[in-house]
Amino acid sequence: MCTTSLTTCEWKKVFYEKMEVAKPADSWELIMDPNLKLNELAPGWKQYLEQHASGRFHCSWCWHTWQSTHVVILFHMYLDREQRAGSVRMRVFKQLCHECGTARLDESSMLEENIESLVDNLITSLREQCYGEDGGQYRIHVASRPDVGPHRSEFCEACQEGVVHWKPSEKLLEEEATTCTFSGACKPSAQEGSGYSFFSLRWCLFGAALCLLIVYLQFSFRSSAFL
């Protein structure tokens, strides 16, 4: 029976079920470790960093809730081949509430479907690093989500500890902007749009002038006819 948080229980449930399918001959355990540090590995241990998870935070002080697509999760993995037993230590970095300004770091909760895809990524890395296998394709699923606002690094525990992380959608936008800047591929559309407005205005002025000319000629013709 799981006596910790529901999210922790869900992580363990999904991990054990998927590892039973991926590596049924080996025994694996998943341990939550809030003291885990990036690049500080014991001998024989491997590391995997999930940089773009999605989760919901709930402030335990003012009850404010917020969604983030910048949740960082750190994994350390070790496989004892002789004992056919492995261990994964895991840390989900927390965030501060920007509403009440309390220094209390809050944990994130995640949907089961998000946990499943993140565990798939973990097992992919585990198979590559611990078993020397081709783990397959990593699942990057944040780029298709609507953005929920800019990431505020001053409220992010991972950022404060120097963990550099990015979101795929931001990376794609960055590359697109760079391509437009250096190739000029994005400039013609703006030029065409401004050109269309200029020519439309010019034709409107020309039409108005033509109408005035016709009225003037008609008035002049009628005036000469009465003389």
Side-chain angles (χ1 to χ4, degrees):
M1 181 178 178
C2 187
T3 58
T4 54
S5 69
L6 291 176
T7 301
T8 299
C9 294
E10 192 62 36
W11 270 99
K12 291 186 175 184
K13 172 180 173 292
V14 174
F15 176 75
Y16 293 145
E17 289 177 352
K18 288 183 176 290
M19 284 305 298
E20 185 65 29
V21 175
K23 294 296 176 183
D26 296 340
S27 175
W28 281 86
E29 65 174 355
L30 178 65
I31 301 171
M32 299 294 173
D33 186 353
N35 299 314
L36 218 58
K37 299 292 183 182
L38 183 68
N39 298 327
E40 294 185 9
L41 297 165
W45 285 72
K46 308 297 182 182
Q47 177 177 278
Y48 170 62
L49 182 68
E50 182 69 60
Q51 305 179 63
H52 41 72
S54 177
R56 178 170 291 278
F57 290 84
H58 176 84
C59 180
S60 55
W61 183 260
C62 71
W63 305 103
H64 172 64
T65 61
W66 67 97
Q67 182 79 15
S68 175
T69 54
H70 303 268
V71 182
V72 179
I73 308 173
L74 177 62
F75 300 95
H76 285 183
M77 309 166 290
Y78 177 77
L79 172 63
D80 187 332
R81 291 185 176 273
E82 292 184 0
Q83 299 294 325
R84 300 198 69 106
S87 178
V88 175
R89 306 189 80 87
M90 168 185 169
R91 176 186 179 185
V92 181
F93 286 88
K94 303 176 183 179
Q95 293 185 11
L96 292 169
C97 176
H98 58 82
E99 286 290 324
C100 65
T102 179
R104 187 193 304 268
L105 286 162
D106 295 295
E107 297 180 352
S108 66
S109 60
M110 296 181 181
L111 297 174
E112 182 177 352
E113 60 184 20
N114 291 341
I115 293 176
E116 288 185 356
S117 62
L118 294 168
V119 170
D120 286 339
N121 282 353
L122 168 61
I123 294 176
T124 296
S125 179
L126 187 148
R127 291 178 61 184
E128 290 176 350
Q129 298 194 71
C130 295
Y131 290 94
E133 302 174 354
D134 180 7
Q137 186 77 21
Y138 285 89
R139 297 177 63 179
I140 300 178
H141 47 83
V142 165
S144 60
R145 292 198 188 99
D147 205 349
V148 292
H151 180 56
R152 301 180 65 176
S153 59
E154 67 269 25
F155 297 104
C156 174
E157 185 181 32
C159 290
Q160 294 304 308
E161 294 192 14
V163 180
V164 179
H165 59 106
W166 51 269
K167 189 158 67 74
S169 56
E170 292 175 351
K171 186 72 173 176
L172 293 172
L173 290 173
E174 214 173 83
E175 291 176 352
E176 184 180 350
T178 303
T179 303
C180 292
T181 301
F182 286 98
S183 67
C186 298
K187 292 181 180 179
S189 59
Q191 291 174 347
E192 288 171 6
S194 61
Y196 176 78
S197 300
F198 171 74
F199 283 114
S200 298
L201 179 61
R202 188 175 68 175
W203 280 109
C204 288
L205 292 175
F206 176 76
L210 185 60
C211 290
L212 290 173
L213 179 61
I214 293 173
V215 172
Y216 173 75
L217 292 175
Q218 288 179 343
F219 179 77
S220 299
F221 177 76
R222 288 178 183 176
S223 298
S224 62
F226 285 107
L227 293 176

